[in-house]
Amino acid sequence: MEPDFYNSIASISEGYFRDRGSKFYAFAFPVETEDEVKDKLTLLKKEHFNANHHIYAFRLGAGTEHVRSSDDGEPANSSGKPVLGQILSHQLSDILVVVVRYFGGVKLGVPGLINAYRTAAGEALKSATPVQKTITRPLSVSFDYKLMSQVMRIVDEENIAVASRDFSSQCNLALNLRKSRYETIVERFRQIYGVTIIES
């Protein structure tokens, strides 16, 4: 069975590397959306407005399809990809790593840049606190109020995360189900007559 969890980081962590006068400050952030990525980048660019480059890479979600990196003016593949490589080699997701470079007057060449950005990013990840995140699938259920206790018993027993609830005219719950338990939980809800299941 495929694992239904992945690894991320609990909070911001930092790393540092210096080579021939150039300083590389690395920052790793836990993020869940591209909007968060943009916010963190904007903030760092304001804080380090006089830096020469703001290299970044991020990965979101459980798969490898939502990844991106930027060389931000450095030679192609010399910086963004090495940073992304560190994220992937540490098997982390929902993470943004930014490496800010202050040029020291001596060109490092592509091999030197690859080493510097990779090392700085690695230092930030080395000091990060890992956290495990569960892979979930959304499910909505709709039911009459009289079925509340039966539905909520399943929610409690299966430790299901409730994304939103609406108990106006009809009871509606938006749930996030652990991937490995999805089919079993759906079947449990189906056993309650009167519960409408809406799969995404």
Side-chain angles (χ1 to χ4, degrees):
M1 184 186 292
E2 281 186 49
D4 61 355
F5 61 85
Y6 59 95
N7 298 311
S8 188
I9 61 173
S11 55
I12 300 169
S13 61
E14 299 180 12
Y16 175 74
F17 183 72
R18 182 185 175 110
D19 187 4
R20 285 165 278 180
S22 281
K23 298 175 183 178
F24 299 83
Y25 297 90
F27 305 88
F29 301 93
V31 291
E32 293 186 348
T33 66
E34 287 204 40
D35 284 339
E36 284 184 81
V37 169
K38 289 173 188 171
D39 290 345
K40 303 296 185 192
L41 281 169
T42 300
L43 192 65
L44 267 186
K45 285 178 179 179
K46 282 181 181 176
E47 288 179 5
H48 297 270
F49 63 90
N50 57 341
N52 300 87
H53 303 280
H54 301 83
I55 306 304
Y56 70 88
F58 67 84
R59 180 185 182 195
L60 302 177
T64 55
E65 64 280 353
H66 205 155
V67 298
R68 193 167 303 161
S69 63
S70 167
D71 294 315
D72 191 36
E74 293 281 35
N77 301 323
S78 68
S79 46
K81 280 200 171 176
V83 173
L84 180 58
Q86 286 291 324
I87 292 173
L88 298 177
S89 67
H90 283 77
Q91 298 181 318
L92 296 169
S93 195
D94 281 358
I95 185 171
L96 164 70
V97 178
V98 185
V99 181
V100 177
R101 181 190 184 187
Y102 288 87
F103 183 55
V106 179
K107 289 189 176 181
L108 305 183
V110 171
L113 290 173
I114 290 172
N115 178 64
Y117 283 107
R118 182 175 57 213
T119 304
E123 289 298 314
L125 297 179
K126 199 185 296 181
S127 62
T129 303
V131 64
Q132 202 170 80
K133 302 183 82 169
T134 305
I135 301 172
T136 60
R137 287 182 60 184
L139 181 79
S140 295
V141 291
S142 181
F143 51 93
D144 288 333
Y145 190 80
K146 64 184 178 183
L147 299 175
M148 175 74 75
S149 60
Q150 293 178 60
V151 170
M152 294 311 293
R153 184 182 304 120
I154 295 173
V155 170
D156 291 340
E157 289 175 358
E158 296 286 352
N159 197 26
I160 299 170
V162 179
S164 67
R165 60 187 78 205
D166 175 13
F167 296 152
S168 48
S169 56
Q170 182 86 345
C171 299
N172 296 286
L173 290 177
L175 308 170
N176 288 316
L177 278 54
R178 189 168 186 135
K179 184 181 169 187
S180 60
R181 295 287 300 163
Y182 185 84
E183 299 299 338
T184 302
I185 294 170
V186 168
E187 189 54 39
R188 287 192 68 182
F189 282 129
R190 284 203 178 106
Q191 298 301 315
I192 304 174
Y193 181 76
V195 171
T196 301
I197 296 168
I198 304 152
E199 298 188 60
S200 299

